[in-house]
């Protein structure tokens, strides 16, 4: 008797502030990676499916993204030089009004 199946893993890669395509609000979005692995006797052996998506924390809309887009969003979240989150204006440093 051979027991085999699949097991899913969900990884949260980053949290970004983006303009939601569903509700139009600038809100926090979680960037997630879903990996499905083949199991043999309940031991996960190798991944056979990997999918990426962002989910709006305001309305819950989920949007699928490609691996390349996910890597770019993750680099923006990490603060890569010259990178900014989609839909955001570059912020100026705070200056005290009296200076």
């Amino acid at each position: 008797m051979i027991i085999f199946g699949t097991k899913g893993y969900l990884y949260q890669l980053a949290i970004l502030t983006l303009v939601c395509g569903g509700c139009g609000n600038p809100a926090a979005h979680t960037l997630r990676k879903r990996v499905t692995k083949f199991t043999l006797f309940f031991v996960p052996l190798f991944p056979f499916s990997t999918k990426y998506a962002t989910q709006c924390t305001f309305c819950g809309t989920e949007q699928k993204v490609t691996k390349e887009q996910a890597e770019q969003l993750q680099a923006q979240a990490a603060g890569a030089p010259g990178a900014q989150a989609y839909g955001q204006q570059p912020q100026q440093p705070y200056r005290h009004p009296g200076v």
Side-chain angles (χ1 to χ4, degrees), residues 10-62:
L10 188 62
Y11 302 98
Q12 182 171 311
L13 302 176
I15 297 178
L16 305 148
T17 301
L18 305 171
V19 176
C20 180
C23 64
N25 289 314
H29 285 67
T30 55
L31 176 62
R32 296 180 178 169
K33 175 181 174 181
R34 182 179 307 270
V35 179
T36 305
K37 293 186 178 185
F38 175 79
T39 61
L40 184 63
F41 294 105
F42 307 104
V43 177
L45 296 177
F46 58 88
F48 70 87
S49 173
T50 302
K51 297 178 183 178
Y52 297 89
T54 60
Q55 185 175 20
C56 177
T57 58
F58 188 78
C59 68
T61 300
E62 190 168 318

